[in-house]
């Protein structure tokens, strides 16, 4: 395409940009660090909460199969991410990939999408972490003042001080360096994986095989509606997802997909990896495999401990242990969830700052934010800016209704990356690819179809909000980014920016 809107940035040029002294990030991460990051961001409340919701409402004991389906959809995207991250080891993930293949405007679009996705994700997780901490405090007899606690279900207007403080503390850790972030993440991930394994092993002794009767319950169709909150596929085609039965498994998969969000963030750390050609595929695919196995095992345990129709939708694992006469596990699980959310929050914030940094380095956002700290070699300016903004967002705004935007943003990124793999294979077959996505173009096409299908199962209201955010992004691009882009100025981006 000849339009300036679709000018692409050469891969070699992107890689040379990472060598500019004032823009160069420190390379300190290994394959183990990347895998830990992936596990750290994927395992969150989903493994403790979503299992009960989808088992009771959508799939019964076959929830384990729903996790497999969702994991397969993510694996298709992960294979595409692995090729790009090893071929273009530059910060920015899907933004950088699309700039090299689709062009500047598509790259801006996906970058703008990722900024929203990671910001809301960080704030939502911080509020969830605050809720778990307050629950543990209540159990210990310490009551948080209503004006300083979580606002979920409360009429009191206040500021969630715990959520805000968490974001600010994690911001400080990220400023101090990636290796410190990796060490903190390793310790916390070890704790929460241990909690998950204890739950799986202990729960296995309380499984009643009778609870697996009707492993795939008979299908119960859902009556089609026309409200704004209906799935988009229902409004477009008059088809509503089924509960239970084989189709219920796929409906459940679109719900439990929330539990997998985050593995793509591993790709944002490509520029800070010692050997990205070897370690990025290992980190991305390894973390996804580990988490899928844990999710399947947890869902089998919880539906085996308690009949799916009796499961609690808010705290299914905790209630299942109470039902079997072991209530002390409830506090243990809440502790594991709170610990787990700490790393989820930090790595989401990490992903956002790296995308913001990459867009700034290309001139699509003010270049003031593209200078790294002279000592820590981290993008401290965008990290501090975004950390403060998200802390305020988490403190003041109840975000439960906006959480679905995180999901649609992730799926949109999956679609863009899969398409980019096909295009770059055609336009730059000469590039060295340490990892190659198999069965191109068939596998990326299947990945696009699977991601779009899950997007269509999201509420129409989510699409409306997503469209509004994208419209704002187009305004920003045409008023600022299009003319300030280093590509638009014809700069040789291999030389230091002015």
């Amino acid at each position: 395409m000849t339009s300036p809107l679709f000018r692409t940035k050469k891969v070699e040029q992107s890689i040379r940009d990472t060598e500019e002294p004032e823009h160069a990030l420190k390379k300190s991460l290994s394959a183990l660090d990347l895998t830990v990051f992936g596990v750290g961001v994927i395992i969150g409340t989903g493994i403790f909460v979503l299992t009960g919701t989808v088992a009771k409402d959508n799939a019964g004991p076959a929830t384990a199969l729903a996790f497999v389906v969702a994991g397969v959809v993510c694996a298709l995207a992960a294979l595409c991410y692995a090729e790009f991250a090893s071929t273009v080891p530059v910060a920015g993930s899907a933004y950088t990939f699309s700039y090299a293949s689709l062009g500047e405007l598509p790259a801006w679009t996906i970058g703008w999408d990722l900024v929203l996705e990671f910001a809301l994700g960080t704030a939502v997780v911080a509020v969830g972490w605050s809720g778990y901490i307050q629950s543990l405090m209540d159990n210990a007899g310490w009551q948080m003042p209503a004006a300083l606690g979580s606002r979920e279900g409360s009429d009191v207007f206040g500021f969630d001080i715990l959520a805000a403080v968490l974001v600010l503390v994690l911001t400080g850790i990220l400023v101090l360096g990636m290796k410190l972030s990796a060490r903190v993440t390793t310790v916390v991930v070890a704790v929460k994986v241990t909690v998950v394994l204890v739950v799986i092993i202990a729960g296995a002794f309380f499984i009643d095989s009778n609870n697996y009767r009707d492993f795939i319950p008979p299908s119960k169709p859902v009556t089609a509606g026309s409200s704004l909150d209906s799935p988009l596929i229902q409004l477009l085609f008059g088809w509503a997802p089924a509960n239970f039965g084989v189709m219920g498994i796929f409906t459940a998969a679109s719900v439990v997909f929330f539990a997998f969000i985050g593995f793509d963030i591993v790709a944002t750390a490509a520029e800070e990896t010692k050997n990205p050609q070897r370690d990025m595929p290992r980190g991305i695919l390894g973390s996804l495999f580990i988490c899928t196995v844990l999710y399947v095992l947890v869902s089998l345990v919880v539906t085996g401990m308690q009949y799916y129709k009796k499961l609690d939708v808010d705290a299914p694992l905790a209630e299942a242990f109470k039902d079997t006469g072991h209530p002390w596990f409830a506090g243990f699980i809440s502790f594991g969830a709170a610990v787990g959310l700490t790393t989820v929050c930090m790595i989401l914030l990490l992903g956002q700052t790296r995308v913001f940094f990459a867009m700034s380095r290309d001139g699509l956002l003010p270049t003031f934010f593209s200078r790294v700290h002279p000592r820590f070699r981290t993008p401290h300016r965008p990290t501090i800016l975004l950390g403060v903004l998200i802390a305020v967002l988490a403190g003041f705004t109840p975000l439960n209704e906006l959480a679905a935007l995180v999901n649609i943003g992730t799926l949109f990124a999956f679609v863009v990356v899969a398409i980019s793999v096909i295009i770059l294979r055609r336009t730059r077959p000469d590039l060295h690819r340490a990892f190659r996505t198999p069965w191109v173009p068939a596998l990326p096409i299947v990945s696009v179809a699977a991601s779009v299908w899950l997007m269509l199962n999201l509420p129409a209201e989510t699409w409306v909000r997503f469209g509004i955010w994208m419209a704002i992004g187009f305004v920003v691009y045409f008023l600022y980014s299009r003319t300030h882009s280093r590509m638009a100025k014809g700069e040789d981006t291999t030389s230091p920016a002015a």
Side-chain angles (χ1 to χ4, degrees), residues 303-473:
T303 54
M305 292 176 64
Q306 192 172 36
Y307 190 50
Y308 75 92
K309 291 183 179 180
K310 298 180 180 179
L311 284 173
D312 182 78
V313 297
D314 296 320
L317 278 175
E319 292 301 320
F321 275 104
K322 287 182 181 179
D323 187 61
T324 57
H326 300 81
W328 71 273
F329 268 98
F332 183 66
I333 293 170
S334 294
F335 168 75
V339 170
L341 290 181
T342 305
T343 55
V344 176
C345 190
M346 183 172 72
I347 300 170
L348 283 171
L349 182 58
L350 163 72
Q352 187 193 40
T353 57
R354 270 43 179 184
V355 173
F356 197 97
F357 168 76
M359 297 174 73
S360 172
R361 188 167 56 188
D362 290 331
L364 298 182
L365 291 172
T367 55
F368 170 81
F369 296 106
S370 66
R371 305 299 176 95
V372 299
H373 193 281
R375 176 183 176 186
F376 303 122
R377 311 306 300 173
T378 57
H380 60 295
R381 291 173 177 174
T383 301
I384 294 172
L385 171 69
L386 296 170
V388 172
L389 291 177
I390 295 172
V392 173
L393 186 64
F396 280 118
T397 312
L399 296 169
N400 56 311
E401 294 183 359
L402 298 180
L405 281 171
V406 181
N407 199 22
I408 195 172
T410 301
L411 288 166
F412 180 60
F414 286 3
V415 171
V416 170
V417 171
I419 294 174
S420 297
V421 165
I422 298 174
I423 292 177
L424 201 64
R425 282 283 188 97
R426 289 181 175 274
T427 58
R428 294 298 309 274
D430 57 303
L431 287 175
H432 172 67
R433 292 169 169 84
F435 178 89
R436 297 177 66 88
T437 303
W439 308 308
V440 173
L443 188 145
I445 290 174
V446 173
S447 177
V448 170
S451 297
V452 170
W453 184 84
L454 289 183
M455 291 173 74
L456 290 174
N457 279 278
L458 292 171
E461 185 171 322
T462 298
W463 283 83
V464 171
R465 289 168 173 164
F466 183 67
I468 292 172
W469 177 254
M470 288 293 104
I472 295 173

Side-chain angles (χ1 to χ4, degrees), residues 120-269:
L120 288 180
T122 305
V124 168
V125 171
V127 172
W129 177 87
S130 174
Y132 275 109
I133 293 298
Q134 289 175 64
S135 176
L136 291 172
M137 291 171 63
D138 290 342
N139 292 337
W142 302 335
Q143 188 70 39
M144 173 72 71
L148 296 178
S150 175
R151 299 159 312 286
E152 195 67 35
S154 173
D155 296 329
V156 178
F157 178 80
F159 185 80
D160 193 336
I161 187 68
L162 291 177
V165 167
L166 173 66
V167 175
L168 293 177
V169 170
L170 296 179
T171 297
I173 293 175
L174 289 175
V175 168
L176 293 176
M178 279 294 287
K179 197 60 184 178
L180 174 61
S181 304
R183 289 170 179 167
V184 172
T185 302
T186 299
V187 173
V188 176
V189 168
V191 172
K192 73 175 176 180
V193 170
T194 299
V195 171
V196 172
L197 291 176
V198 168
V199 168
I200 292 172
I201 295 171
F205 289 97
F206 309 130
I207 290 176
D208 183 351
S209 60
N210 290 325
N211 291 329
Y212 290 136
R213 63 184 184 274
D214 296 329
F215 189 82
I216 302 179
S219 178
K220 295 181 180 180
V222 179
T223 303
S226 58
S227 69
L228 190 62
D229 290 322
S230 300
L232 185 63
I233 195 171
Q234 180 178 343
L235 298 180
L236 292 177
F237 307 108
W239 177 83
N243 285 334
F244 306 111
V246 174
M247 291 308 299
I249 296 174
F250 292 100
T251 302
S254 67
V255 177
V256 300
F257 180 81
F258 281 92
F260 286 92
I261 286 177
F263 81 85
D264 54 314
I265 294 178
V266 176
T268 66

